[in-house]
Amino acid sequence: MSMSIATNFLESIGGLALALLGAGLAVGLSCVGSAKGTGIAGEAGTGLLCEDPSKSGKVMVLQLLPGTQGLYGMAVFFVALIRMGFMGNAAAVGESMTVQLGMQFFCACMPMALGGLLSAIAQGRVAAGSINILAKKPDDWSKGLILCGIVEFYAILSLLCSMIMLFSLG
């Protein structure tokens, strides 16, 4: 009985709605994570810049790093729309997109949605710690940059995973 309720629900939503939901979550959650991550790093940066404004360039680099996940999410969003054929004729896509294909698009977007959200917040925390390195040992600030890069690697893996799945659809 519950299986038919789920099936009826998915059929009433339609494949295109599921696909667009996945694409929207890829960009939306990645941007939320980037906003949170850059905010965390920015808070740490303001404290240092009050004491030493000459470090603004390095602080800005560290604050910008968690923002890349939002860009990756936007790339997944556009690739998903292009792969759906949504950019050309949305009405035709809406009629032809099955629930099964819509669910495939949804699932293909999830690695970037979740990976972008969580890695951006984690990277913001690492960037804030790296700003503390910059404050106390300015010559060692590149060590903090490397630590941020390690977190970035997992955002890139999320991007690649979503892209590979999206390019296999259609």
Side-chain angles (χ1 to χ4, degrees), residues 18-30 73 77 80-81 84 109-110 113:
L18 289 170
L20 291 175
L21 178 61
L25 287 172
V27 69
L29 292 179
S30 293
F77 174 77
L81 290 184
M84 284 179 227
C109 293
M110 285 304 96

Side-chain angles (χ1 to χ4, degrees), residues 36-104:
K36 180 76 171 159
T38 57
I40 291 167
E43 288 176 18
T46 57
L48 174 57
L49 293 178
C50 286
E51 299 294 320
D52 189 355
S54 69
K55 294 185 173 126
S56 65
K58 292 176 181 176
V59 167
M60 211 172 294
V61 168
L62 290 167
Q63 185 189 10
L64 284 172
L65 284 173
T68 58
Q69 285 84 339
L71 296 173
Y72 300 160
M74 184 62 77
V76 168
F77 174 77
F78 279 118
V79 169
L81 290 184
I82 291 166
R83 296 295 295 160
M84 284 179 227
F86 192 79
M87 301 298 258
N89 187 355
V93 173
E95 293 172 9
S96 65
M97 175 86 61
T98 65
V99 172
Q100 181 181 1
L101 185 57
M103 187 61 82
Q104 290 172 355

